[in-house]
Every structure is written in structure tokens, then in C-alpha cells.
């Protein structure tokens, strides 16, 4: 095991001294949208049920990691709510000792009826993906007609006073007018809006030579045109976004340089994919098959030892993680498997 990993009581640090306290876990690779930047329209092979982690397996992983120092969980997908009994699962993990915050990333389509229960279990925040504020542009991007449901979720989450962030992936030729329209939501409502650089997963950019027309600098310049008073503010220590305030706005604006990778130095998170691969960096191709390990009958102590070793061998940043990938291929799996 790498000696630089410390495991004092409930405190976990990687081999570069970065505290690790945040686990993002994808509960399904299935989704009820077909966003062009995330997955192809047809021909997707979704995982059979026995190839994804069961809720019991996920709970076991969370419980062990909570004992090691993970305090914050984000549940993502695919679309988390397409998996049956998600609410029941969320309620169980909210009782795990050491877990202080549970967050959820959702596209908002099936979400409305669960919002009261989410409030009841004390959900710490919801990230809602919304790439356009125009019905037709929404349909074009997501290849589905569910704009109204997403708006319903937006308003209900606010009514229930659950902290809300909007995620918008910025795509040339598809949603540039929405940069300003979505920022306006943070003027009217107490929400944060985050713009995400499009990453070359297996949607539109799968050509071997990923290009990025809208990087974080250009997104900022576009915002500056509409909001000349926009100003950078200090980000929280592990923030993946550069954050901004605009005079008169109730919420903040953030830009996530997912393609440019400006945030690796303070990364405090690990991921588990729907099929149980542990990722210690978004850009690695999965450093360990947790599902098969769990299913081989190992003890909690063996799992803990293995996790400590893996967290103690993290890549320095996303570029190194990508170099370590088998065959040095760039990141091509769909975000629906990884969970964003
Ligand atoms: N279904 C949920 C949702 O729509 O929010 C959760 C899963 S989704 C994969 C999680 C996040 O990943 C979303 O905010 C989505 O916009 C983002 N995402 C997916 N593909 C992306 C890409 N190619 N580049 C940047 N962000 C991406």
C-alpha cells in the first residue's frame, strides 16, 4: 500500500495530499433522454441487470467509504429515477453513519412526484440538467419532448426550498442563445447556474480529434456581453467551477472547464460507475472492478485495504489519468455510464 495515504479516524487523503471526501455514484446507465453530447440516438447496449451494482452492493460500498472519511454522496446515472425503488435506496443511505450530504443529479423528467420525499430525507441539493430554455432547442439536443416536465421539476424544487443548481452543457450551434437565457434564471430565482464545457464522450464529438469551440474563456466572454458587471468570486476549496457574481442576481454563475481541466489540483472526489468500476479520476478508464471484487466474497476489511491502495495511487491530474488508460485512448465511454 502507498504509505502517503493516511487513514486517521474518518479522514482520507490521496497520494498528493488531497482530502477525499466525496463519492459520486451512478446507479444506472439507462436514461430516458438521448442527449446528443452524451450518447448516440440508437444502438446503445444498456447493461443487463446483473452487470450493474445492486442497491445492497452500493450501500456496502458507501458504508465502508463513510467509515473511511467520505461524507458527501452524489447519486447520478444515466437517469437515477429510471431505476426502480430509487427513493427507498436514497432513504436507506441517508441513514448511514458519517454521510452528511446526499446530492442528486437528474434530468427532471420523472422527478416531480419524488420531491416531497427527497425533502423528507434531507436531500442536500439537486443538480438539474437543462441545456435550453426553448422547447424546440431542448427537443433537438435531448431528442425527446420533455421540456415541460423539467420545468415542473425546476419550480417544485424551488417551492420545497431544496438548493438547486442548473447544469448546461454549451454546444456550438445548438444552445448559444441559452447561455444568457439560463443566466437570467439566476437573476429571478435563488439558484446557481453552471455552464459545462462539452467533453468528447460518445455523442457528437466521437471522431478521434475532439474539438472544443466553446471553452471556459469563450463562455465567460459571452456572459460578459450580456452582463458587463459579472465578477469572479472565490470558489470553495474543491469547487470544479470558476464562480461569478452578477450585480442584482440572487444566485451565482459557474463555469466548469471539464475539457480544459483546470480543477484537478483540488479534486476531492472518486466515482463508482453503474457497472461497479471505481474511477479515481473522471478521465481514467476505471482503475478497479469493485463489482467483481465484492462478488468474490471479500470481507469489508479487504475492500477497505484495496480502496486505500487505489486512493493512494491516484493520477496527479486528468492528463496523467488519460495517459494511463489502456491503449491511451481518449475518454469515449458515455457519461451515462460514468454519471458526470
Ligand atoms: N440523467 C442525469 C442528468 O441528466 O443530469 C444525470 C446523469 S448526466 C450524465 C450528468 C451530467 O453529465 C449532466 O449534467 C450532463 O449534462 C453531463 N454530461 C453528459 N455528457 C456530457 C459531455 N459530453 N460533456 C459535458 N457534460 C456532460
Amino acid at each position: 500500500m502507498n504509505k502517503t495515504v493516511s487513514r486517521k479516524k474518518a479522514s482520507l487523503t490521496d497520494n498528493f495530499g488531497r482530502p477525499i471526501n466525496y463519492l459520486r455514484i451512478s446507479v444506472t446507465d439507462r436514461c430516458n433522454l438521448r442527449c446528443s453530447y452524451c450518447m448516440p440516438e440508437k444502438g446503445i447496449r444498456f447493461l443487463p441487470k446483473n452487470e450493474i451494482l445492486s442497491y445492497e452492493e452500493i450501500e456496502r460500498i458507501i458504508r465502508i467509504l463513510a467509515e473511511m472519511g467520505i461524507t458527501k454522496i452524489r447519486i447520478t446515472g444515466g437517469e437515477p429515477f429510471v431505476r426502480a425503488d430509487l427513493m427507498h435506496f436514497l432513504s436507506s443511505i441517508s441513514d448511514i453513519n458519517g454521510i452528511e450530504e446526499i446530492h442528486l443529479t437528474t434530468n427532471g423528467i420523472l422527478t416531480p412526484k419524488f420531491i416531497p420525499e427527497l425533502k423528507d430525507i434531507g436531500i442536500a441539493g439537486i443538480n438539474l440538467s437543462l441545456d435550453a430554455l426553448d422547447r424546440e432547442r431542448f427537443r433537438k439536443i435531448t431528442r425527446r419532448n420533455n421540456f415541460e416536465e423539467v420545468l415542473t421539476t425546476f419550480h417544485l424544487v424551488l417551492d420545497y426550498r431544496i438548493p438547486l443548481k442548473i447544469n448546461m452543457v454549451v454546444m456550438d450551434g445548438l444552445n448559444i442563445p441559452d447561455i444568457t437565457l439560463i443566466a437570467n434564471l439566476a437573476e429571478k430565482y435563488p439558484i446557481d447556474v453552471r455552464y459545462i464545457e462539452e467533453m468528447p464522450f460518445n455523442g457528437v464529438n466521437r471522431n478521434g480529434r475532439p474539438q472544443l469551440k466553446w471553452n471556459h474563456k469563450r463562455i465567460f466572454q459571452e456572459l460578459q456581453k450580456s452582463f458587463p458587471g459579472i465578477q469572479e468570486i472565490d470558489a470553495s476549496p474543491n469547487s470544479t467551477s470558476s464562480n461569478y457574481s452578477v450585480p442584482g442576481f440572487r444566485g451565482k454563475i459557474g463555469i466548469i472547464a471539464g475539457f480544459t481541466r483546470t480543477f484537478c489540483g483540488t479534486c476531492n472526489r472518486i466515482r463508482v460507475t453503474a457497472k461497479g468500476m471505481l474511477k479515481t479520476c473522471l478521465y481514467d478508464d476505471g482503475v478497479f472492478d469493485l463489482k467483481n471484487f465484492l462478488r468474490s466474497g471479500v470481507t469489508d476489511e479487504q475492500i477497505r485495504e484495496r480502496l486505500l491502495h487505489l486512493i493512494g495511487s491516484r493520477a496527479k491530474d486528468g492528463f496523467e489519468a488519460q495517459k494511463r488508460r489502456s491503449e491511451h485512448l481518449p475518454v469515449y465511454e458515455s457519461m451515462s455510464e460514468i454519471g458526470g
Side-chain angles (χ1 to χ4, degrees), residues 106-158:
T106 177
N107 61 28
I109 297 174
L110 301 172
T111 321
K113 71 174 181 194
F114 299 106
I115 290 171
E117 281 177 88
L118 288 169
K119 180 75 180 179
D120 282 349
I121 66 157
I123 195 91
I126 292 182
N127 285 9
L128 181 65
S129 298
L130 178 58
D131 301 312
L133 266 190
D134 167 86
R135 194 170 286 100
E136 184 48 29
R137 284 196 293 273
F138 177 93
R139 194 198 54 75
K140 208 167 169 192
I141 294 165
T142 63
R143 303 178 176 126
R144 295 288 184 271
N145 262 320
N146 298 101
F147 184 63
E148 304 302 336
E149 290 93 317
V150 185
L151 285 192
T152 302
T153 294
F154 175 88
H155 290 292
L156 265 180
V157 172
L158 284 175

Short mmCIF file of all heavy atoms in Angstrom, two decimals, residues 106-158:
data_model
loop_
_atom_site.label_atom_id
_atom_site.label_comp_id
_atom_site.label_asym_id
_atom_site.label_seq_id
_atom_site.Cartn_x
_atom_site.Cartn_y
_atom_site.Cartn_z
N THR A 106 -30.12 15.00 -11.84
CA THR A 106 -31.27 14.44 -12.55
C THR A 106 -31.62 15.29 -13.76
O THR A 106 -31.31 16.48 -13.80
CB THR A 106 -32.50 14.35 -11.60
OG1 THR A 106 -33.64 13.87 -12.32
CG2 THR A 106 -32.84 15.69 -10.98
N ASN A 107 -32.29 14.65 -14.73
CA ASN A 107 -32.78 15.45 -15.86
C ASN A 107 -34.18 15.97 -15.59
O ASN A 107 -34.76 16.68 -16.40
CB ASN A 107 -32.73 14.64 -17.17
CG ASN A 107 -33.60 13.39 -17.15
OD1 ASN A 107 -34.61 13.31 -16.45
ND2 ASN A 107 -33.21 12.39 -17.94
N GLY A 108 -34.78 15.60 -14.47
CA GLY A 108 -36.02 16.22 -14.05
C GLY A 108 -37.30 15.65 -14.63
O GLY A 108 -38.39 16.12 -14.32
N ILE A 109 -37.20 14.61 -15.47
CA ILE A 109 -38.42 14.16 -16.15
C ILE A 109 -39.34 13.36 -15.22
O ILE A 109 -40.54 13.62 -15.15
CB ILE A 109 -38.06 13.32 -17.39
CG1 ILE A 109 -37.32 14.21 -18.38
CG2 ILE A 109 -39.32 12.75 -18.04
CD1 ILE A 109 -36.78 13.50 -19.57
N LEU A 110 -38.77 12.42 -14.48
CA LEU A 110 -39.59 11.60 -13.58
C LEU A 110 -39.56 12.13 -12.15
O LEU A 110 -40.15 11.54 -11.25
CB LEU A 110 -39.06 10.16 -13.59
CG LEU A 110 -39.06 9.45 -14.95
CD1 LEU A 110 -38.33 8.12 -14.87
CD2 LEU A 110 -40.50 9.23 -15.43
N THR A 111 -38.88 13.23 -11.95
CA THR A 111 -38.55 13.70 -10.60
C THR A 111 -39.71 14.29 -9.80
O THR A 111 -39.74 14.14 -8.56
CB THR A 111 -37.39 14.72 -10.69
OG1 THR A 111 -36.47 14.26 -11.68
CG2 THR A 111 -36.66 14.89 -9.38
N PRO A 112 -40.67 15.01 -10.45
CA PRO A 112 -41.62 15.79 -9.65
C PRO A 112 -42.28 15.03 -8.50
O PRO A 112 -42.32 15.53 -7.37
CB PRO A 112 -42.67 16.26 -10.68
CG PRO A 112 -41.89 16.37 -11.94
CD PRO A 112 -40.89 15.23 -11.88
N LYS A 113 -42.75 13.82 -8.76
CA LYS A 113 -43.52 13.16 -7.69
C LYS A 113 -42.65 12.75 -6.49
O LYS A 113 -43.17 12.42 -5.43
CB LYS A 113 -44.30 11.97 -8.23
CG LYS A 113 -43.49 10.79 -8.63
CD LYS A 113 -44.44 9.65 -9.00
CE LYS A 113 -43.64 8.43 -9.38
NZ LYS A 113 -44.33 7.40 -10.03
N PHE A 114 -41.33 12.76 -6.66
CA PHE A 114 -40.46 12.36 -5.55
C PHE A 114 -39.95 13.53 -4.72
O PHE A 114 -39.28 13.33 -3.71
CB PHE A 114 -39.25 11.58 -6.11
CG PHE A 114 -39.65 10.33 -6.84
CD1 PHE A 114 -39.59 10.26 -8.22
CD2 PHE A 114 -40.12 9.23 -6.14
CE1 PHE A 114 -39.98 9.11 -8.90
CE2 PHE A 114 -40.51 8.07 -6.80
CZ PHE A 114 -40.44 8.02 -8.19
N ILE A 115 -40.27 14.73 -5.13
CA ILE A 115 -39.66 15.89 -4.45
C ILE A 115 -40.05 15.99 -2.97
O ILE A 115 -39.17 16.22 -2.13
CB ILE A 115 -39.92 17.18 -5.26
CG1 ILE A 115 -39.07 17.07 -6.54
CG2 ILE A 115 -39.53 18.44 -4.47
CD1 ILE A 115 -39.30 18.09 -7.58
N PRO A 116 -41.33 15.76 -2.62
CA PRO A 116 -41.63 15.81 -1.18
C PRO A 116 -40.80 14.80 -0.37
O PRO A 116 -40.29 15.13 0.70
CB PRO A 116 -43.12 15.45 -1.13
CG PRO A 116 -43.65 15.81 -2.48
CD PRO A 116 -42.53 15.56 -3.44
N GLU A 117 -40.64 13.59 -0.91
CA GLU A 117 -39.84 12.58 -0.18
C GLU A 117 -38.37 12.96 -0.15
O GLU A 117 -37.67 12.71 0.84
CB GLU A 117 -39.98 11.21 -0.85
CG GLU A 117 -41.26 10.49 -0.50
CD GLU A 117 -41.35 9.18 -1.27
OE1 GLU A 117 -40.84 8.16 -0.78
OE2 GLU A 117 -41.92 9.20 -2.39
N LEU A 118 -37.89 13.55 -1.23
CA LEU A 118 -36.48 13.99 -1.23
C LEU A 118 -36.26 15.03 -0.12
O LEU A 118 -35.27 15.01 0.59
CB LEU A 118 -36.11 14.58 -2.59
CG LEU A 118 -35.98 13.57 -3.73
CD1 LEU A 118 -35.87 14.27 -5.09
CD2 LEU A 118 -34.75 12.67 -3.53
N LYS A 119 -37.25 15.91 0.01
CA LYS A 119 -37.17 16.91 1.08
C LYS A 119 -37.16 16.20 2.44
O LYS A 119 -36.36 16.53 3.32
CB LYS A 119 -38.38 17.85 0.97
CG LYS A 119 -38.42 18.93 2.02
CD LYS A 119 -37.42 20.02 1.73
CE LYS A 119 -37.46 21.11 2.78
NZ LYS A 119 -36.48 22.16 2.53
N ASP A 120 -38.04 15.21 2.57
CA ASP A 120 -38.15 14.49 3.86
C ASP A 120 -36.84 13.81 4.28
O ASP A 120 -36.51 13.77 5.45
CB ASP A 120 -39.22 13.38 3.78
CG ASP A 120 -40.60 13.95 3.91
OD1 ASP A 120 -40.71 15.15 4.26
OD2 ASP A 120 -41.57 13.21 3.64
N ILE A 121 -36.12 13.25 3.29
CA ILE A 121 -34.88 12.56 3.68
C ILE A 121 -33.73 13.56 3.84
O ILE A 121 -32.59 13.17 4.12
CB ILE A 121 -34.47 11.43 2.70
CG1 ILE A 121 -34.12 11.99 1.32
CG2 ILE A 121 -35.54 10.34 2.62
CD1 ILE A 121 -33.20 11.08 0.53
N GLY A 122 -34.01 14.82 3.61
CA GLY A 122 -32.99 15.86 3.84
C GLY A 122 -31.98 16.00 2.71
O GLY A 122 -30.80 16.29 2.96
N ILE A 123 -32.45 15.80 1.47
CA ILE A 123 -31.53 15.92 0.33
C ILE A 123 -30.81 17.28 0.39
O ILE A 123 -31.43 18.31 0.67
CB ILE A 123 -32.30 15.73 -1.01
CG1 ILE A 123 -31.36 15.48 -2.19
CG2 ILE A 123 -33.19 16.93 -1.33
CD1 ILE A 123 -31.06 14.06 -2.44
N ALA A 124 -29.50 17.25 0.18
CA ALA A 124 -28.73 18.49 0.38
C ALA A 124 -28.78 19.40 -0.85
O ALA A 124 -28.52 20.61 -0.74
CB ALA A 124 -27.29 18.15 0.71
N GLY A 125 -29.08 18.82 -2.00
CA GLY A 125 -29.14 19.66 -3.19
C GLY A 125 -29.45 18.84 -4.42
O GLY A 125 -29.20 17.63 -4.46
N ILE A 126 -30.04 19.51 -5.41
CA ILE A 126 -30.35 18.84 -6.67
C ILE A 126 -29.67 19.61 -7.80
O ILE A 126 -29.75 20.84 -7.86
CB ILE A 126 -31.89 18.79 -6.89
CG1 ILE A 126 -32.49 17.84 -5.85
CG2 ILE A 126 -32.23 18.36 -8.31
CD1 ILE A 126 -33.99 17.64 -5.97
N ASN A 127 -28.98 18.86 -8.66
CA ASN A 127 -28.46 19.45 -9.89
C ASN A 127 -29.39 19.02 -11.02
O ASN A 127 -29.59 17.82 -11.24
CB ASN A 127 -27.06 18.94 -10.21
CG ASN A 127 -26.01 19.57 -9.31
OD1 ASN A 127 -26.35 20.27 -8.36
ND2 ASN A 127 -24.75 19.31 -9.61
N LEU A 128 -29.96 19.99 -11.67
CA LEU A 128 -30.91 19.71 -12.74
C LEU A 128 -30.25 20.06 -14.07
O LEU A 128 -29.76 21.18 -14.26
CB LEU A 128 -32.17 20.57 -12.51
CG LEU A 128 -33.30 20.42 -13.51
CD1 LEU A 128 -33.91 19.01 -13.46
CD2 LEU A 128 -34.40 21.46 -13.22
N SER A 129 -30.24 19.09 -14.99
CA SER A 129 -29.65 19.36 -16.30
C SER A 129 -30.70 20.04 -17.17
O SER A 129 -31.80 19.53 -17.34
CB SER A 129 -29.21 18.05 -16.96
OG SER A 129 -28.22 17.45 -16.17
N LEU A 130 -30.33 21.18 -17.70
CA LEU A 130 -31.25 21.92 -18.57
C LEU A 130 -30.39 22.68 -19.57
O LEU A 130 -29.74 23.66 -19.22
CB LEU A 130 -32.10 22.89 -17.72
CG LEU A 130 -33.10 23.77 -18.46
CD1 LEU A 130 -34.10 22.94 -19.26
CD2 LEU A 130 -33.85 24.68 -17.49
N ASP A 131 -30.37 22.18 -20.80
CA ASP A 131 -29.44 22.73 -21.79
C ASP A 131 -30.06 23.79 -22.68
O ASP A 131 -29.37 24.40 -23.49
CB ASP A 131 -28.88 21.60 -22.66
CG ASP A 131 -28.16 20.55 -21.83
OD1 ASP A 131 -27.33 20.94 -21.00
OD2 ASP A 131 -28.44 19.35 -22.00
N ALA A 132 -31.39 23.99 -22.56
CA ALA A 132 -32.03 25.01 -23.38
C ALA A 132 -33.30 25.47 -22.70
O ALA A 132 -33.99 24.68 -22.05
CB ALA A 132 -32.35 24.45 -24.76
N LEU A 133 -33.62 26.74 -22.91
CA LEU A 133 -34.88 27.25 -22.35
C LEU A 133 -35.91 27.44 -23.44
O LEU A 133 -36.91 28.13 -23.25
CB LEU A 133 -34.63 28.59 -21.64
CG LEU A 133 -34.37 28.51 -20.15
CD1 LEU A 133 -34.39 29.89 -19.53
CD2 LEU A 133 -35.41 27.62 -19.44
N ASP A 134 -35.65 26.83 -24.57
CA ASP A 134 -36.57 26.90 -25.68
C ASP A 134 -36.97 25.46 -26.01
O ASP A 134 -36.11 24.59 -26.13
CB ASP A 134 -35.81 27.54 -26.86
CG ASP A 134 -36.54 27.38 -28.16
OD1 ASP A 134 -37.41 28.21 -28.46
OD2 ASP A 134 -36.25 26.39 -28.89
N ARG A 135 -38.29 25.23 -26.12
CA ARG A 135 -38.80 23.86 -26.27
C ARG A 135 -38.17 23.12 -27.46
O ARG A 135 -37.80 21.97 -27.39
CB ARG A 135 -40.32 23.94 -26.45
CG ARG A 135 -41.04 22.64 -26.28
CD ARG A 135 -42.55 22.84 -26.23
NE ARG A 135 -43.00 23.39 -24.97
CZ ARG A 135 -43.31 24.67 -24.74
NH1 ARG A 135 -43.23 25.55 -25.72
NH2 ARG A 135 -43.70 25.09 -23.57
N GLU A 136 -38.04 23.85 -28.58
CA GLU A 136 -37.53 23.20 -29.79
C GLU A 136 -36.03 22.89 -29.69
O GLU A 136 -35.57 21.82 -30.07
CB GLU A 136 -37.84 24.11 -31.00
CG GLU A 136 -37.47 23.55 -32.36
CD GLU A 136 -37.93 22.10 -32.58
OE1 GLU A 136 -38.95 21.68 -32.00
OE2 GLU A 136 -37.24 21.36 -33.34
N ARG A 137 -35.30 23.83 -29.10
CA ARG A 137 -33.86 23.55 -28.92
C ARG A 137 -33.67 22.40 -27.92
O ARG A 137 -32.79 21.55 -28.09
CB ARG A 137 -33.11 24.80 -28.43
CG ARG A 137 -32.87 25.83 -29.53
CD ARG A 137 -31.81 26.84 -29.13
NE ARG A 137 -32.20 27.71 -28.04
CZ ARG A 137 -32.86 28.86 -28.17
NH1 ARG A 137 -33.21 29.28 -29.38
NH2 ARG A 137 -33.16 29.59 -27.12
N PHE A 138 -34.52 22.37 -26.91
CA PHE A 138 -34.45 21.27 -25.93
C PHE A 138 -34.67 19.93 -26.64
O PHE A 138 -33.95 18.97 -26.43
CB PHE A 138 -35.51 21.48 -24.83
CG PHE A 138 -35.56 20.38 -23.81
CD1 PHE A 138 -34.83 20.47 -22.63
CD2 PHE A 138 -36.34 19.24 -24.02
CE1 PHE A 138 -34.87 19.44 -21.68
CE2 PHE A 138 -36.39 18.22 -23.08
CZ PHE A 138 -35.66 18.32 -21.91
N ARG A 139 -35.69 19.91 -27.51
CA ARG A 139 -36.01 18.67 -28.22
C ARG A 139 -34.85 18.24 -29.13
O ARG A 139 -34.49 17.07 -29.20
CB ARG A 139 -37.28 18.86 -29.05
CG ARG A 139 -37.89 17.56 -29.56
CD ARG A 139 -38.85 17.80 -30.70
NE ARG A 139 -38.28 18.56 -31.80
CZ ARG A 139 -37.42 18.09 -32.69
NH1 ARG A 139 -37.03 16.84 -32.65
NH2 ARG A 139 -36.93 18.87 -33.64
N LYS A 140 -34.26 19.22 -29.78
CA LYS A 140 -33.17 18.91 -30.70
C LYS A 140 -31.97 18.31 -29.94
O LYS A 140 -31.34 17.35 -30.38
CB LYS A 140 -32.74 20.20 -31.40
CG LYS A 140 -32.15 19.96 -32.74
CD LYS A 140 -32.05 21.25 -33.52
CE LYS A 140 -31.20 20.99 -34.75
NZ LYS A 140 -30.81 22.21 -35.41
N ILE A 141 -31.66 18.87 -28.79
CA ILE A 141 -30.50 18.40 -28.02
C ILE A 141 -30.77 17.05 -27.37
O ILE A 141 -29.95 16.14 -27.42
CB ILE A 141 -30.12 19.44 -26.92
CG1 ILE A 141 -29.64 20.73 -27.57
CG2 ILE A 141 -29.07 18.87 -25.97
CD1 ILE A 141 -29.58 21.92 -26.62
N THR A 142 -31.96 16.92 -26.77
CA THR A 142 -32.24 15.72 -25.96
C THR A 142 -32.90 14.61 -26.78
O THR A 142 -33.03 13.48 -26.31
CB THR A 142 -33.18 16.04 -24.79
OG1 THR A 142 -34.43 16.49 -25.34
CG2 THR A 142 -32.62 17.11 -23.89
N ARG A 143 -33.35 14.94 -27.98
CA ARG A 143 -34.09 14.02 -28.86
C ARG A 143 -35.38 13.52 -28.21
O ARG A 143 -35.89 12.45 -28.52
CB ARG A 143 -33.22 12.84 -29.28
CG ARG A 143 -31.90 13.23 -29.98
CD ARG A 143 -31.11 11.99 -30.29
NE ARG A 143 -29.90 12.24 -31.03
CZ ARG A 143 -28.70 11.82 -30.63
NH1 ARG A 143 -28.57 11.17 -29.49
NH2 ARG A 143 -27.65 12.05 -31.38
N ARG A 144 -35.90 14.28 -27.29
CA ARG A 144 -37.16 13.94 -26.63
C ARG A 144 -37.94 15.23 -26.35
O ARG A 144 -37.37 16.31 -26.31
CB ARG A 144 -36.92 13.22 -25.29
CG ARG A 144 -36.25 11.85 -25.39
CD ARG A 144 -37.17 10.78 -25.97
NE ARG A 144 -36.55 9.46 -25.97
CZ ARG A 144 -35.80 8.97 -26.97
NH1 ARG A 144 -35.55 9.69 -28.05
NH2 ARG A 144 -35.29 7.74 -26.88
N ASN A 145 -39.26 15.05 -26.10
CA ASN A 145 -40.15 16.20 -25.91
C ASN A 145 -40.54 16.42 -24.46
O ASN A 145 -41.72 16.51 -24.15
CB ASN A 145 -41.45 15.93 -26.69
CG ASN A 145 -41.41 16.64 -28.03
OD1 ASN A 145 -40.92 17.77 -28.12
ND2 ASN A 145 -41.91 15.98 -29.05
N ASN A 146 -39.60 16.48 -23.56
CA ASN A 146 -39.97 16.51 -22.14
C ASN A 146 -39.68 17.84 -21.45
O ASN A 146 -39.50 17.87 -20.22
CB ASN A 146 -39.24 15.39 -21.39
CG ASN A 146 -39.62 14.02 -21.89
OD1 ASN A 146 -38.89 13.41 -22.66
ND2 ASN A 146 -40.79 13.55 -21.49
N PHE A 147 -39.64 18.90 -22.24
CA PHE A 147 -39.29 20.21 -21.68
C PHE A 147 -40.19 20.60 -20.49
O PHE A 147 -39.72 21.09 -19.46
CB PHE A 147 -39.39 21.24 -22.80
CG PHE A 147 -38.98 22.62 -22.42
CD1 PHE A 147 -37.69 22.89 -22.01
CD2 PHE A 147 -39.90 23.66 -22.47
CE1 PHE A 147 -37.30 24.18 -21.67
CE2 PHE A 147 -39.52 24.95 -22.12
CZ PHE A 147 -38.22 25.21 -21.72
N GLU A 148 -41.51 20.34 -20.65
CA GLU A 148 -42.46 20.78 -19.61
C GLU A 148 -42.18 20.11 -18.26
O GLU A 148 -42.25 20.74 -17.20
CB GLU A 148 -43.92 20.46 -20.00
CG GLU A 148 -44.36 21.03 -21.34
CD GLU A 148 -44.22 22.54 -21.39
OE1 GLU A 148 -44.24 23.18 -20.33
OE2 GLU A 148 -44.07 23.07 -22.52
N GLU A 149 -41.88 18.81 -18.31
CA GLU A 149 -41.62 18.07 -17.06
C GLU A 149 -40.41 18.67 -16.34
O GLU A 149 -40.37 18.78 -15.12
CB GLU A 149 -41.36 16.58 -17.34
CG GLU A 149 -42.58 15.80 -17.80
CD GLU A 149 -42.68 15.74 -19.31
OE1 GLU A 149 -42.47 16.77 -19.98
OE2 GLU A 149 -43.00 14.66 -19.83
N VAL A 150 -39.40 19.03 -17.12
CA VAL A 150 -38.19 19.58 -16.50
C VAL A 150 -38.51 20.91 -15.81
O VAL A 150 -38.07 21.17 -14.69
CB VAL A 150 -37.06 19.75 -17.54
CG1 VAL A 150 -35.77 20.21 -16.87
CG2 VAL A 150 -36.81 18.44 -18.29
N LEU A 151 -39.34 21.71 -16.48
CA LEU A 151 -39.74 22.99 -15.85
C LEU A 151 -40.55 22.75 -14.58
O LEU A 151 -40.41 23.48 -13.59
CB LEU A 151 -40.58 23.83 -16.83
CG LEU A 151 -39.81 24.53 -17.96
CD1 LEU A 151 -40.71 25.54 -18.63
CD2 LEU A 151 -38.53 25.19 -17.48
N THR A 152 -41.40 21.72 -14.61
CA THR A 152 -42.17 21.39 -13.40
C THR A 152 -41.22 21.07 -12.26
O THR A 152 -41.37 21.56 -11.13
CB THR A 152 -43.09 20.18 -13.67
OG1 THR A 152 -43.94 20.52 -14.76
CG2 THR A 152 -43.92 19.81 -12.46
N THR A 153 -40.21 20.25 -12.55
CA THR A 153 -39.23 19.92 -11.51
C THR A 153 -38.54 21.19 -11.01
O THR A 153 -38.38 21.39 -9.80
CB THR A 153 -38.19 18.92 -12.06
OG1 THR A 153 -38.87 17.70 -12.31
CG2 THR A 153 -37.07 18.66 -11.07
N PHE A 154 -38.15 22.04 -11.93
CA PHE A 154 -37.46 23.28 -11.56
C PHE A 154 -38.28 24.04 -10.51
O PHE A 154 -37.78 24.41 -9.44
CB PHE A 154 -37.26 24.13 -12.84
CG PHE A 154 -36.67 25.48 -12.60
CD1 PHE A 154 -35.30 25.65 -12.57
CD2 PHE A 154 -37.47 26.59 -12.38
CE1 PHE A 154 -34.73 26.90 -12.34
CE2 PHE A 154 -36.93 27.84 -12.16
CZ PHE A 154 -35.55 27.99 -12.13
N HIS A 155 -39.57 24.25 -10.79
CA HIS A 155 -40.38 25.06 -9.89
C HIS A 155 -40.67 24.34 -8.57
O HIS A 155 -40.67 24.96 -7.51
CB HIS A 155 -41.67 25.50 -10.59
CG HIS A 155 -41.40 26.52 -11.66
ND1 HIS A 155 -40.96 27.79 -11.37
CD2 HIS A 155 -41.43 26.43 -13.01
CE1 HIS A 155 -40.76 28.46 -12.50
NE2 HIS A 155 -41.04 27.66 -13.51
N LEU A 156 -40.89 23.02 -8.67
CA LEU A 156 -41.17 22.28 -7.43
C LEU A 156 -39.98 22.26 -6.49
O LEU A 156 -40.12 22.40 -5.28
CB LEU A 156 -41.54 20.84 -7.77
CG LEU A 156 -43.02 20.52 -7.90
CD1 LEU A 156 -43.20 19.04 -8.22
CD2 LEU A 156 -43.76 20.86 -6.59
N VAL A 157 -38.79 22.07 -7.05
CA VAL A 157 -37.59 22.05 -6.21
C VAL A 157 -37.46 23.39 -5.48
O VAL A 157 -37.16 23.45 -4.28
CB VAL A 157 -36.33 21.74 -7.06
CG1 VAL A 157 -35.05 21.92 -6.24
CG2 VAL A 157 -36.38 20.32 -7.62
N LEU A 158 -37.76 24.46 -6.20
CA LEU A 158 -37.71 25.79 -5.55
C LEU A 158 -38.80 25.91 -4.48
O LEU A 158 -38.54 26.40 -3.38
CB LEU A 158 -37.90 26.89 -6.60
CG LEU A 158 -36.69 27.19 -7.47
CD1 LEU A 158 -37.05 28.19 -8.55
CD2 LEU A 158 -35.53 27.71 -6.63
#
